[in-house]
Amino acid sequence: MGITQAQQTREDHRVLLPNNPFVPPSGNVCFINNLPPELLSRIFEVGTADNDIKDEGDMAAYLDYVHYYRLDAKDADDSDIPHDVKMTEELADDDREGDEEEADDEEDSSDATGSSDMPASWPPFQVVVSHVCHHWRIIAFSTPSLWTTIVVSPEARPPYHYVSMRLERSKDLPIDIYIECERQEPTKPDATDGGTPFDVDRKFLYSLLIPHIHRWRTIEVSVSEYRHMHAFLSAVSDPSISAAPQLTTLELYHREEMEEFDNFGYPSMSKHFILFGGSAPCLTSVVLWGVHVDWNQPWITSASKLTYLELAFHPEDVRPSWAQFATILRGAPALEKLGIRLSGPSGDPPAWFIEPTPGSPIDLNAPIQLPKVTDFIFAFHSPIRSIGLLRKFYLPALKNLVLDFDNGEYTELVHELVGPATSSSLPSALEQPRSLLKSLVSLKIAGLPCYPGCVETLYGELQNLTSLNISLTYLPPLFLDILATPCMSVGRGDTWLPRLATLYVSGTSGDVLRELVQKRRDMGAPLDSLYVEASCDLDDEDTEWLKENVKTFDFFEGSDDEDDIDFEDLDEEVDEWSDMD
């Protein structure tokens, strides 16, 4: 048998590049394979750490990766398995040596990395290292921490080989589960409406996952139809379900567009479930987005470790009562980030009263103490409810605030924000009245209908603000234009927002931004960083000028859904300012 072209090419490479680190050495002299397995395993763990799913962007990248290969799947019986898993399983069973195995590996590698359509960070690191050689494959498979993330995409189907494989390889370690039930585009040609993991043998999926509920560290479920969420809630509230002792993150998203929020749109699915037998003592993060639960269960009323809570888009008739809502917040003394958008207590402020217990020294109607909350998202409430909630909260540590209101007139809310904030139930003699805005370092305003004079009133209190994010798609131009004019308010100095260093803006043009940057510099209060939404009207000349006249200039992608404001937005803005200190 003659020498093949592939063999000749490899031989040419060895001759021309004798010390090429990307070509394995001949013979049994690879020093990497002489490293202790424990060290290789640790190296793999470090490499995988940066590959974890940390946010929705990472989730989207992973689903893109899985979906990319699933479209080309040739074997219908295992079409739910991501291509990386198929390659891994095939190689695990293939102990062939020599040129044949090397050629197979090269072909697989080109499939996995050769397309420009692939997300840059995928395939996952653990899959890459498991393809290097037989020795690395065995080490990777026997390192449980590499396989603790389980993603179930919308196109996944039984028997869920991928899920079973990750459950097995992760051994007894805590696992992070992400279930996506929102239809992704493009869909498979033979997909039908409702073809999601919950529609096709969803009980089978849960039969795999729920026996490991004692290992769940993260569970995130995102659906576009409430019946899918109802199926999940029913599964984890079965009386036979034990506690979730290691669960730290619970995020449930129902993203279906709702026309009205007075009444829950699915009466037959309105039950308030008790999840995990009511016990998840290690929870630090809870997001309930359009998903209601039993508001009296211990994991939400006595969440002593909870640092992140977001309640969003709950129809009036499934919200907690004021007593339940107050109990939830008072039962979370470690809370640092709070989001309340079109949610919170049912009823209007006059009804937010708790009958005192005779003889009890505790005033149940005193302001709710939130001493550690630094980040607050406040959105889509009526003016009267907005003011009522602010008057119920004591927020002495607030640093980062998001405001997003659309329907109504919020001039009175602005005056509430700049007036003396709610004080402690036991105010100190040294505690001076101050506004809620006085200590802010970051503010995002996505919508705030109010009289023009409110802009000066609002900005006059923001003397310590370093980062501002405004959307002129929903705000009048004055919110931006005023930053380029001298401040004439008595006692406020010569410049609006004198410490402003970072600005995020959407809905404007290059001419306006150039004028703003120039005038802020002339006033002695220059911008350091400017981030512009990609759809803004900037030409190449505007872009070049701005890059030359601020330290940092970049574009950002705005969300198609203005509801999608999250704490990561605040974190990025604050981090940007902190990096410059």
Side-chain angles (χ1 to χ4, degrees):
M1 182 177 178
I3 298 176
T4 66
Q5 183 177 356
Q7 289 173 323
Q8 183 62 52
T9 300
R10 287 194 293 274
E11 181 59 29
D12 291 343
H13 286 169
R14 292 191 179 99
V15 172
L16 295 174
L17 301 169
N19 297 315
N20 185 351
F22 298 102
V23 174
S26 59
N28 241 353
V29 295
C30 182
F31 74 92
I32 294 293
N33 284 345
N34 292 328
L35 293 175
E38 295 81 5
L39 181 56
L40 268 180
S41 178
R42 180 56 182 156
I43 292 172
F44 294 169
E45 288 180 329
V46 172
T48 304
D50 290 335
N51 234 179
D52 288 345
I53 294 175
K54 303 179 179 68
D55 55 34
E56 290 187 11
D58 292 339
M59 168 71 83
Y62 190 92
L63 291 175
D64 285 346
Y65 162 70
V66 171
H67 183 64
Y68 175 89
Y69 282 119
R70 192 171 286 123
L71 291 177
D72 293 331
K74 297 178 181 179
D75 185 352
D77 291 336
D78 60 355
S79 60
D80 73 300
I81 312 173
H83 192 67
D84 66 281
V85 177
K86 290 183 184 178
M87 292 190 295
T88 302
E89 296 292 356
E90 289 167 3
L91 288 170
D93 295 333
D94 184 5
D95 292 325
R96 291 173 296 173
E97 300 293 334
D99 293 337
E100 185 179 355
E101 179 176 353
E102 188 171 347
D104 289 342
D105 286 347
E106 289 174 359
E107 181 181 355
D108 285 337
S109 178
S110 66
D111 287 344
T113 60
S115 171
S116 60
D117 296 332
M118 280 299 299
S121 58
W122 303 96
F125 181 82
Q126 60 268 49
V127 175
V128 174
V129 297
S130 69
H131 283 61
V132 171
C133 64
H134 180 74
H135 179 59
W136 282 33
R137 190 160 64 248
I138 296 303
I139 298 296
F141 288 178
S142 60
T143 304
S145 59
L146 304 187
W147 313 101
T148 56
T149 298
I150 299 173
V151 178
V152 183
S153 74
E155 292 80 17
R157 296 292 184 272
Y160 303 110
H161 293 304
Y162 165 77
V163 174
S164 299
M165 176 271 291
R166 293 245 167 174
L167 288 171
E168 179 181 355
R169 289 184 188 163
S170 59
K171 305 297 183 185
D172 294 324
L173 292 185
I175 51 179
D176 303 304
I177 304 170
Y178 303 86
I179 302 175
E180 180 74 39
C181 293
E182 298 182 64
R183 175 61 60 198
Q184 304 294 308
E185 295 294 343
T187 58
K188 295 177 64 175
D190 60 344
T192 58
D193 291 340
T196 71
F198 294 96
D199 295 312
V200 183
D201 281 347
R202 59 181 179 265
K203 291 184 179 180
F204 185 81
L205 173 63
Y206 295 137
S207 73
L208 297 176
L209 294 173
I210 286 181
H212 298 268
I213 203 167
H214 61 284
R215 294 204 286 139
W216 290 11
R217 176 174 54 195
T218 299
I219 178 66
E220 177 180 320
V221 181
S222 182
V223 307
S224 55
E225 298 180 45
Y226 199 82
R227 61 196 175 94
H228 301 153
M229 184 60 69
H230 187 267
F232 171 79
L233 297 175
S234 299
V236 296
S237 63
D238 188 274
S240 64
I241 300 299
S242 62
Q246 299 191 71
L247 189 65
T248 62
T249 301
L250 172 65
E251 298 188 5
L252 306 178
Y253 299 92
H254 171 221
R255 300 184 184 276
E256 185 176 2
E257 291 290 336
M258 304 292 287
E259 294 184 358
E260 60 94 15
F261 279 85
D262 289 334
N263 298 293
F264 183 63
Y266 307 98
S268 63
M269 295 183 283
S270 62
K271 180 179 178 179
H272 291 64
F273 288 97
I274 297 177
L275 313 186
F276 321 118
S279 179
C282 293
L283 277 173
T284 61
S285 176
V286 172
V287 177
L288 298 175
W289 183 300
V291 179
H292 57 276
V293 296
D294 186 314
W295 303 112
N296 294 315
Q297 56 192 311
W299 62 258
I300 196 169
T301 60
S302 303
S304 61
K305 298 180 181 180
L306 193 67
T307 60
Y308 181 124
L309 174 63
E310 184 170 0
L311 303 177
F313 305 107
H314 290 115
E316 180 74 21
D317 60 343
V318 294
R319 294 180 185 179
S321 66
W322 170 253
Q324 291 170 323
F325 180 73
T327 299
I328 290 169
L329 293 185
R330 289 193 170 107
L335 195 63
E336 297 175 359
K337 298 182 179 182
L338 175 63
I340 306 175
R341 37 186 153 190
L342 201 57
S343 184
S346 60
D348 285 324
W352 296 346
F353 180 79
I354 303 174
E355 287 294 335
T357 302
S360 173
I362 301 175
D363 183 1
L364 298 178
N365 294 294
I368 298 174
Q369 309 292 301
L370 300 169
K372 296 183 178 181
V373 171
T374 58
D375 298 59
F376 185 28
I377 294 177
F378 197 38
F380 308 124
H381 303 284
S382 67
I384 187 174
R385 286 178 59 88
S386 301
I387 294 171
L389 282 170
L390 283 182
R391 290 177 178 175
K392 289 288 189 178
F393 294 158
Y394 174 56
L395 295 160
L398 189 65
K399 298 293 183 185
N400 311 303
L401 176 64
V402 172
L403 300 174
D404 191 0
F405 301 98
D406 47 12
N407 298 320
E409 205 286 311
Y410 289 85
T411 296
E412 290 189 22
L413 174 62
V414 172
H415 290 296
E416 182 71 23
L417 287 167
V418 302
T422 300
S423 61
S424 169
S425 57
L426 298 173
S428 166
L430 300 177
E431 185 178 358
Q432 298 297 317
R434 63 174 184 81
S435 75
L436 198 64
L437 305 180
K438 201 72 172 179
S439 59
L440 288 187
V441 297
S442 172
L443 173 64
K444 179 170 185 174
I445 308 176
L448 187 63
C450 58
Y451 290 130
C454 289
V455 180
E456 291 189 9
T457 302
L458 190 71
Y459 281 8
E461 280 295 300
L462 298 171
Q463 298 295 301
N464 295 309
L465 198 76
T466 60
S467 177
L468 177 66
N469 186 325
I470 51 177
S471 173
L472 299 185
T473 306
Y474 301 97
L475 295 171
L478 182 60
F479 275 86
L480 181 66
D481 295 343
I482 194 175
L483 299 177
T485 63
C487 176
M488 307 302 291
S489 294
V490 178
R492 299 301 185 187
D494 300 327
T495 307
W496 296 105
L497 311 190
R499 298 192 62 194
L500 183 66
T502 301
L503 175 65
Y504 292 76
V505 63
S506 60
T508 188
S509 66
D511 291 342
V512 172
L513 291 175
R514 289 172 67 164
E515 181 181 2
L516 171 66
V517 169
Q518 184 62 56
K519 288 189 174 181
R520 294 287 295 189
R521 180 194 297 158
D522 295 343
M523 290 188 294
L527 290 174
D528 288 325
S529 300
L530 177 62
Y531 298 91
V532 180
E533 203 269 325
S535 65
C536 287
D537 184 17
L538 272 70
D539 57 28
D540 292 342
E541 183 179 346
D542 294 327
T543 301
E544 288 304 314
W545 189 93
L546 291 169
K547 286 182 177 179
E548 292 173 0
N549 286 273
V550 293
K551 293 180 180 179
T552 303
F553 175 83
D554 206 349
F555 292 98
F556 67 90
E557 292 292 336
S559 170
D560 293 334
D561 186 351
E562 286 300 316
D563 297 344
D564 286 342
I565 303 170
D566 54 32
F567 290 113
E568 281 70 24
D569 294 334
L570 293 174
D571 292 340
E572 290 175 5
E573 293 162 24
V574 175
D575 288 345
E576 171 64 31
W577 171 245
S578 301
D579 291 342
M580 296 186 293
D581 285 344

